[in-house]
Coordinates of all heavy atoms in Angstrom, one line a residue:
G76 N 111.7 107.4 172.3 CA 110.6 106.4 172.4 C 109.3 106.9 171.9 O 109.2 108.0 171.2
F77 N 108.2 106.2 172.1 CA 106.9 106.6 171.6 C 105.8 106.1 172.6 O 105.8 104.9 173.0 CB 106.6 105.9 170.3 CG 105.4 106.5 169.6 CD1 105.6 107.6 168.7 CD2 104.2 106.0 169.8 CE1 104.4 108.1 168.0 CE2 103.0 106.5 169.2 CZ 103.2 107.6 168.3
W78 N 105.0 107.0 173.0 CA 103.8 106.7 173.9 C 102.6 106.3 173.1 O 102.1 107.1 172.3 CB 103.5 107.9 174.8 CG 104.6 108.2 175.8 CD1 105.6 109.1 175.7 CD2 104.8 107.5 177.0 NE1 106.5 109.0 176.8 CE2 106.0 108.0 177.6 CE3 104.1 106.5 177.7 CZ2 106.5 107.6 178.8 CZ3 104.6 106.0 178.9 CH2 105.8 106.6 179.5
H79 N 102.1 105.1 173.4 CA 101.0 104.6 172.6 C 99.7 104.7 173.4 O 98.6 104.6 172.8 CB 101.3 103.1 172.3 CG 102.2 102.8 171.2 ND1 101.8 102.5 169.9 CD2 103.6 102.9 171.2 CE1 102.9 102.4 169.2 NE2 104.0 102.6 169.9
W80 N 99.8 104.9 174.7 CA 98.5 105.0 175.5 C 98.8 105.6 176.8 O 99.8 105.3 177.5 CB 97.9 103.6 175.7 CG 96.5 103.5 176.0 CD1 95.5 104.4 175.8 CD2 95.8 102.4 176.6 NE1 94.3 104.0 176.2 CE2 94.5 102.7 176.7 CE3 96.3 101.1 177.0 CZ2 93.5 101.8 177.2 CZ3 95.3 100.2 177.5 CH2 94.0 100.6 177.6
V81 N 97.9 106.4 177.3 CA 98.0 107.1 178.6 C 96.5 107.2 179.1 O 95.7 107.9 178.5 CB 98.6 108.5 178.5 CG1 98.7 109.1 179.9 CG2 100.0 108.4 177.9
V82 N 96.2 106.5 180.2 CA 94.9 106.6 180.9 C 95.1 106.9 182.3 O 95.9 106.2 183.0 CB 94.1 105.2 180.7 CG1 92.7 105.4 181.3 CG2 94.1 104.7 179.3
Y83 N 94.5 107.9 182.8 CA 94.7 108.3 184.2 C 93.4 108.5 184.9 O 92.3 108.5 184.2 CB 95.6 109.5 184.3 CG 95.2 110.8 183.5 CD1 94.4 111.8 184.2 CD2 95.5 110.9 182.2 CE1 94.1 112.9 183.5 CE2 95.1 112.0 181.5 CZ 94.4 113.0 182.1 OH 94.0 114.1 181.4
N84 N 93.4 108.7 186.2 CA 92.2 108.9 187.1 C 91.3 107.6 187.0 O 90.1 107.8 187.0 CB 91.5 110.1 186.7 CG 92.3 111.4 187.0 OD1 93.2 111.3 187.8 ND2 92.0 112.5 186.4
I85 N 91.9 106.5 186.9 CA 91.2 105.2 186.9 C 90.8 105.0 188.4 O 91.7 104.9 189.2 CB 92.0 104.0 186.3 CG1 92.4 104.3 184.9 CG2 91.2 102.7 186.5 CD1 93.4 103.4 184.3
P86 N 89.6 104.8 188.7 CA 89.2 104.6 190.2 C 89.9 103.4 190.8 O 90.1 102.4 190.1 CB 87.7 104.4 190.1 CG 87.2 105.0 188.8 CD 88.4 104.8 187.9
A87 N 90.2 103.5 192.1 CA 90.9 102.5 192.8 C 90.1 101.1 192.9 O 90.7 100.1 193.0 CB 91.2 102.9 194.2
S88 N 88.8 101.2 192.7 CA 88.0 100.0 192.6 C 88.1 99.2 191.4 O 87.7 98.0 191.3 CB 86.5 100.3 192.9 OG 86.1 101.2 191.8
T89 N 88.8 99.7 190.4 CA 89.0 99.1 189.1 C 90.1 98.1 189.1 O 91.2 98.4 189.7 CB 89.2 100.1 188.0 OG1 88.2 101.1 188.0 CG2 89.4 99.5 186.6
T90 N 89.9 96.9 188.6 CA 91.0 95.9 188.6 C 91.2 95.4 187.2 O 92.0 94.4 187.0 CB 90.7 94.7 189.5 OG1 89.5 94.2 189.2 CG2 90.7 95.2 191.0
S91 N 90.5 95.9 186.2 CA 90.7 95.5 184.8 C 90.2 96.5 183.8 O 89.4 97.3 184.2 CB 90.0 94.1 184.6 OG 88.7 94.3 184.7
L92 N 90.7 96.4 182.6 CA 90.2 97.2 181.5 C 89.9 96.2 180.4 O 90.7 95.3 180.1 CB 91.2 98.2 181.0 CG 91.5 99.3 182.0 CD1 92.6 100.2 181.4 CD2 90.3 100.1 182.3
P93 N 88.7 96.2 179.7 CA 88.4 95.3 178.7 C 89.1 95.6 177.4 O 89.6 96.7 177.2 CB 86.9 95.4 178.5 CG 86.6 96.9 178.9 CD 87.6 97.2 180.0
A94 N 89.3 94.6 176.5 CA 89.8 94.9 175.2 C 89.0 96.0 174.5 O 87.8 96.0 174.6 CB 89.8 93.6 174.4
G95 N 89.7 96.9 173.9 CA 89.0 98.0 173.2 C 88.7 99.2 174.0 O 88.2 100.2 173.5
A96 N 89.1 99.1 175.3 CA 88.8 100.3 176.2 C 89.5 101.5 175.7 O 89.1 102.6 176.0 CB 89.2 100.0 177.6
G97 N 90.6 101.4 174.9 CA 91.4 102.5 174.5 C 90.8 103.3 173.3 O 91.3 104.3 173.0
D98 N 89.7 102.8 172.8 CA 88.9 103.6 171.8 C 88.1 104.7 172.5 O 87.2 104.4 173.3 CB 88.0 102.7 171.0 CG 87.2 103.4 169.9 OD1 87.2 104.6 169.9 OD2 86.6 102.7 169.1
P99 N 88.4 105.9 172.2 CA 87.7 107.0 172.9 C 86.2 107.0 172.7 O 85.5 107.5 173.5 CB 88.3 108.3 172.3 CG 89.7 107.9 171.8 CD 89.5 106.5 171.4
K100 N 85.7 106.3 171.7 CA 84.3 106.3 171.4 C 83.6 105.1 172.0 O 82.4 105.0 172.0 CB 84.1 106.3 169.9 CG 84.6 107.5 169.2 CD 84.4 107.4 167.7 CE 85.1 108.7 167.1 NZ 85.2 108.5 165.6
S101 N 84.4 104.2 172.6 CA 83.9 102.9 173.1 C 83.0 103.1 174.4 O 82.1 102.3 174.7 CB 85.0 101.9 173.4 OG 85.7 102.2 174.5
G102 N 83.4 104.0 175.2 CA 82.7 104.2 176.5 C 83.1 103.0 177.5 O 82.4 102.8 178.5
A103 N 84.1 102.3 177.2 CA 84.5 101.1 178.0 C 85.4 101.4 179.2 O 85.6 100.6 180.0 CB 85.2 100.1 177.1
L104 N 85.9 102.7 179.3 CA 86.7 103.0 180.5 C 85.8 103.3 181.7 O 84.6 103.7 181.5 CB 87.5 104.3 180.2 CG 88.7 104.1 179.2 CD1 89.3 105.5 179.0 CD2 89.7 103.1 179.8
P105 N 86.3 103.0 182.9 CA 85.4 103.3 184.0 C 85.1 104.8 184.2 O 85.9 105.7 183.7 CB 86.3 102.9 185.2 CG 87.6 102.5 184.7 CD 87.5 102.5 183.2
A106 N 84.0 105.2 184.8 CA 83.6 106.6 185.0 C 84.8 107.3 185.7 O 85.4 106.8 186.6 CB 82.4 106.6 185.8
G107 N 85.1 108.5 185.1 CA 86.1 109.3 185.7 C 87.5 109.1 185.1 O 88.3 110.0 185.2
A108 N 87.7 108.0 184.4 CA 89.0 107.8 183.8 C 89.2 108.7 182.5 O 88.2 108.9 181.8 CB 89.2 106.3 183.4

């Protein structure tokens, strides 16, 4: 198989990720992720 995305340490208060959050330069992931 193939892993396309892995995001960890997402805070428990988070209930969504916006489109484009997977771009490392976007800054769209929650703090700590």
Side-chain angles (χ1 to χ4, degrees):
F77 191 92
W78 291 98
H79 284 258
W80 199 21
V81 180
V82 186
Y83 56 97
N84 296 340
I85 301 170
S88 60
T89 303
T90 58
S91 66
L92 296 176
D98 179 348
K100 297 176 186 169
S101 74
L104 289 175

